[in-house]
Amino acid sequence: MKQRLEMLWYNDTMSCWSFVKALIFFVALLALLTPACGQKDGSHSEITNAIDKMSGVDHFRSTVNRIAITNGYVQSYSATEEYLGNCHYHKYEITVENHAGNVTTEPFGRNWYLEPGSPTKWSEAILIGSHWYYRNSEHPNWGLGLAECMGGYSPLYSELYLYRFLGSIEELTTENIGNVSCRHYKGNVDYDAYVDRQIEETKKLQENPVLLIEDERIASWIEEIEKTRQNEAVAEFWIDEEGYIRQLKSEKRSLVDPIVSKDEWTEVTVIRYSDFNQPITIEPPPALPSTFPTPTPTPSPP
């Protein structure tokens, strides 16, 4: 009998934020061929061009380090990823969860710590077309399931879409990322412009004769998108001479529910990209693996 597959990132009940992220992803795809915003200066142009270039990359590797806090609860997340297009990937993820600390730091006056002995979980997934292989710390034997995959777009498109809506941008000192010299920029996301575009694209769904989405559902989606208008985000980009983003750091803050809650959701993420459009091989796992991954987080970039 096939092992029951449990995606680590769906272990908890889906929140309003999970719904909004999924909706924003769908709306972002609809806007794929639409320019996001006008160019303001050379820095904006360089970042927008880099996002365009990255959105055309199918083959790449990345390491992700993220720390997030919600309602006084902290989660540390790290991952290594290999992609051969959106329907072929290999991911290995580690999460550590604990309560949050109170020491202050920039940019949002909040820092975190992880106490010794914090529970650690790992998961590993391989997607090859419609075949999805999965295992985790609770079910360490490989399982096989069927997956529906939406092809035809780069896996980086939705990941970088938010950063097409930058306001002010500051150019910082040139730095090396993985021995590659990179120009360094820092900018603030213009959430008003971002939300306005999401609402505009969502309203277009009503005009689509194929989708036939009810007006009430469109209205509820717009209501959820509108809640994100009070978000804040700061992003840093390290762009190499070829125009690729070698590293992205984002710091985001929002209210969990801006209507009924004052609790904050805060997230800091550093992603390092490499091996753009280089040959990458992704294979199914052995039928009966004899060893399991050791949950050692990927090191945080300097």
Side-chain angles (χ1 to χ4, degrees):
M1 188 174 82
K2 292 181 180 178
Q3 174 182 321
R4 180 172 176 264
L5 302 178
E6 296 183 18
M7 295 183 67
L8 182 59
W9 49 89
Y10 284 150
N11 278 349
D12 297 325
T13 302
M14 284 192 71
S15 65
C16 168
W17 275 110
S18 300
F19 168 77
V20 171
K21 287 180 180 179
L23 178 58
I24 288 174
F25 167 77
F26 179 61
V27 173
L29 292 180
L30 295 179
L32 179 60
L33 300 178
T34 306
C37 54
Q39 306 305 320
K40 299 180 180 180
D41 54 37
S43 299
H44 281 83
S45 296
E46 181 166 5
I47 293 173
T48 300
N49 291 339
I51 291 174
D52 288 340
K53 192 177 186 73
M54 296 290 286
S55 297
V57 172
D58 289 324
H59 299 194
F60 67 93
R61 290 185 172 93
S62 65
T63 60
V64 182
N65 288 275
R66 175 180 300 125
I67 191 162
I69 183 171
T70 305
N71 291 333
Y73 199 72
V74 68
Q75 181 184 81
S76 173
Y77 168 93
S78 63
T80 57
E81 303 173 335
E82 296 180 311
Y83 273 89
L84 277 173
N86 193 58
C87 296
H88 291 75
Y89 64 68
H90 185 179
K91 298 181 180 181
Y92 176 47
E93 304 173 316
I94 300 167
T95 57
V96 183
E97 299 180 349
N98 207 329
H99 294 290
N102 295 314
V103 291
T104 60
T105 187
E106 297 296 337
F108 298 130
R110 186 72 66 86
N111 198 2
W112 312 273
Y113 64 86
L114 295 173
E115 297 174 353
S118 299
T120 299
K121 299 179 181 180
W122 60 263
S123 67
E124 187 173 12
I126 298 174
L127 179 65
I128 302 177
S130 61
H131 291 78
W132 186 60
Y133 306 88
Y134 188 75
R135 61 179 179 170
N136 62 26
S137 49
E138 296 180 357
H139 302 283
N141 295 318
W142 284 106
L144 172 62
L146 296 178
E148 294 184 5
C149 180
M150 184 184 299
Y153 68 95
S154 166
L156 290 176
Y157 179 79
S158 60
E159 184 173 300
L160 298 173
Y161 183 73
L162 173 66
Y163 308 110
R164 293 177 177 272
F165 299 87
L166 294 177
S168 60
I169 294 177
E170 177 185 4
E171 183 171 1
L172 305 177
T173 304
T174 298
E175 296 181 4
N176 284 354
I177 300 297
N179 296 321
V180 177
S181 178
C182 297
R183 293 178 297 280
H184 184 190
Y185 300 97
K186 183 176 183 179
N188 298 299
V189 173
D190 182 349
Y191 260 97
D192 283 330
Y194 174 65
V195 169
D196 289 344
R197 173 54 62 89
Q198 298 302 304
I199 292 176
E200 176 186 342
E201 297 299 330
T202 300
K203 288 180 178 179
K204 290 180 181 179
L205 298 176
Q206 293 176 298
E207 306 170 4
N208 192 310
V210 177
L211 296 178
L212 298 177
I213 301 175
E214 298 176 352
D215 291 347
E216 292 79 5
R217 179 169 296 183
I218 295 291
S220 68
W221 289 352
I222 291 176
E223 181 180 357
E224 295 299 329
I225 294 172
E226 187 64 42
K227 291 178 182 179
T228 68
R229 191 179 294 276
Q230 46 74 52
N231 288 8
E232 298 177 22
V234 178
E236 293 183 55
F237 307 83
W238 287 260
I239 302 174
D240 68 16
E241 293 299 326
E242 297 182 17
Y244 289 109
I245 298 174
R246 290 282 176 168
Q247 183 170 285
L248 168 66
K249 179 180 180 181
S250 63
E251 303 180 51
K252 304 176 184 177
R253 182 178 67 175
S254 176
L255 297 179
V256 176
D257 187 330
I259 296 178
V260 301
S261 173
K262 294 183 179 180
D263 294 317
E264 287 186 351
W265 166 82
T266 313
E267 178 183 277
V268 179
T269 304
V270 177
I271 307 176
R272 182 172 291 188
Y273 303 101
S274 63
D275 299 327
F276 304 112
N277 293 324
Q278 297 300 308
I280 296 175
T281 301
I282 296 177
E283 298 179 344
L288 295 173
S290 58
T291 60
F292 302 125
T294 300
T296 303
T298 54
S300 299

